[in-house]
Amino acid sequence: MSLPWLNITDPFPSVNNLVDPDPEVPGLIAISTEISAEQLKRAYSQGIFPWYSDSQPILWWSPNPRMVLKPKNLKLSKSLKKEIKHILVDNDWEIRVDDDFHATILACAKQPRKGQNGTWITHAIMHAYGELHEQGFAHSVEVFFQRKRVGGLYCVNLGSIIFGESMFSHQKNASKLALAALSAWAIQNDIEIIDCQQETEHLTSMGGSPIERVNFIHHLEKHCGKKSPNWLFNKYALSHWLNHQ
C-alpha cells in the first residue's frame, strides 16, 4: 500500500481495521499539501491528527494504540497539591480560558523541547487552529502570575471529548496547573477522556495510558456528536484536587 495524497476536501481513509500504509512509519495514514479548519474537524472526529515540520508536507496520523488521559486519573504530586492550595488564596495567580488563544499557541510553538529541533506548530497550523478557535472548537487554558502569562495549553473540543494539543511553561509547574484545571473541569462536565495522541514518559507519569485504536474510535463515535459544554472556569476548578486523590 502507498500513502494517499489528499486534496483539502478529500475524505480521509477509514481507520477502522486500518493496516498502516507504510509499516516502517506506523500510524502515518495520509499526506496533504494544505490544511484547513474544516479538514481538522473531519480529522479529529475520525481519530486523525496532523503532525509534521516546516520541511515536510502535512502528515496525518492515527496511531495504534492511542494515548489518552482519563481526567479522574490525573496524578498530582503532594508538592503540587500544596502549591494549588496556596494558589487558590493568592491573588497573584489566575487561570483564564480563551484569554488570548493566539498568544498561547505561539508560546507553545516557541517552547523548547528535549530532543526536538524546531516545532511542528507551523504558521499553517497556527492559522488553521486559529480558525477553529474562532468557530468555537479550539480553546486555550492560560496560567497567569502577576498578570503575566506563564504557562498554558491549547486543545480541540468536539462534543464531550477533548483533544489535547500542546503545552508551554515559563514557570515551574505552570503547564501542569493548566492541565489540572482542565481535567477538573472535564470531570465536572462528564468528559471521560482527553486525547493525548502519542505515548510519552511525561504523560504516563501524569496518569495517561494507551488504549487500542478501535476503542478510541468507538469513544469518538459515541461522544463527538454530543453538545459541547460551556468553556467557563477559572483557578477555583483546582479545588477539586484538594478533595480527591
Side-chain angles (χ1 to χ4, degrees), residues 23-239:
E24 294 186 4
V25 192
L28 179 60
I29 64 163
I31 305 173
S32 68
T33 56
E34 296 179 274
I35 188 170
S36 72
E38 293 304 314
Q39 193 180 30
L40 282 171
K41 280 191 289 185
R42 287 191 288 112
Y44 280 109
S45 68
Q46 296 172 57
I48 301 165
F49 61 89
W51 186 41
Y52 66 104
S53 66
D54 259 332
S55 61
Q56 298 173 315
I58 295 151
L59 307 179
W60 297 94
W61 302 81
S62 184
N64 185 28
R66 187 76 165 229
M67 190 69 167
V68 302
L69 170 67
K70 295 181 179 180
K72 65 182 180 180
N73 291 344
L74 180 68
K75 294 180 181 178
L76 301 179
S77 66
K78 289 183 179 179
S79 61
L80 184 55
K81 287 199 284 185
K82 184 178 180 180
E83 186 175 351
I84 286 172
K85 188 174 183 179
H86 168 74
I87 285 169
L88 287 171
V89 296
D90 186 343
N91 291 332
D92 281 339
W93 287 92
E94 297 177 80
I95 291 181
R96 306 177 192 173
V97 176
D98 294 335
D99 182 81
D100 192 332
F101 180 87
H102 300 283
T104 301
I105 193 172
L106 182 60
C108 290
K110 293 181 176 180
Q111 175 76 35
R113 301 185 195 280
K114 186 178 180 180
Q116 292 185 21
N117 294 319
T119 178
W120 73 274
I121 306 173
T122 64
H123 290 293
I125 284 285
M126 286 190 275
H127 178 74
Y129 283 87
E131 287 192 350
L132 271 189
H133 171 66
E134 291 170 7
Q135 296 173 12
F137 296 106
H139 301 275
S140 58
V141 181
E142 307 162 42
V143 179
F144 287 78
F145 179 68
Q146 295 180 343
R147 299 185 179 181
K148 292 182 180 180
R149 185 179 292 100
V150 296
L153 60 82
Y154 75 97
C155 58
V156 174
N157 172 220
L158 298 179
S160 59
I161 184 168
I162 295 170
F163 304 85
E165 280 304 314
S166 189
M167 302 189 292
F168 79 95
S169 188
H170 295 160
Q171 192 160 317
K172 185 180 178 181
N173 290 332
S175 61
K176 290 182 179 180
L177 290 170
L179 180 59
L182 175 64
S183 297
W185 172 83
I187 292 168
Q188 294 166 4
N189 286 276
D190 298 320
I191 294 174
E192 296 178 9
I193 66 169
I194 297 173
D195 174 35
C196 302
Q197 300 176 349
Q198 301 189 69
E199 188 170 359
T200 66
E201 289 184 9
H202 176 67
L203 288 170
T204 300
S205 71
M206 294 290 288
S209 59
I211 62 173
E212 291 298 311
R213 180 169 57 200
V214 63
N215 295 332
F216 180 71
I217 298 303
H218 176 71
H219 189 86
L220 294 185
E221 292 170 347
K222 183 178 179 182
H223 292 278
C224 273
K226 293 184 177 180
K227 183 180 179 181
S228 295
N230 291 324
W231 280 74
L232 296 172
F233 62 94
N234 54 34
K235 72 177 183 180
Y236 298 106
L238 291 169
S239 61

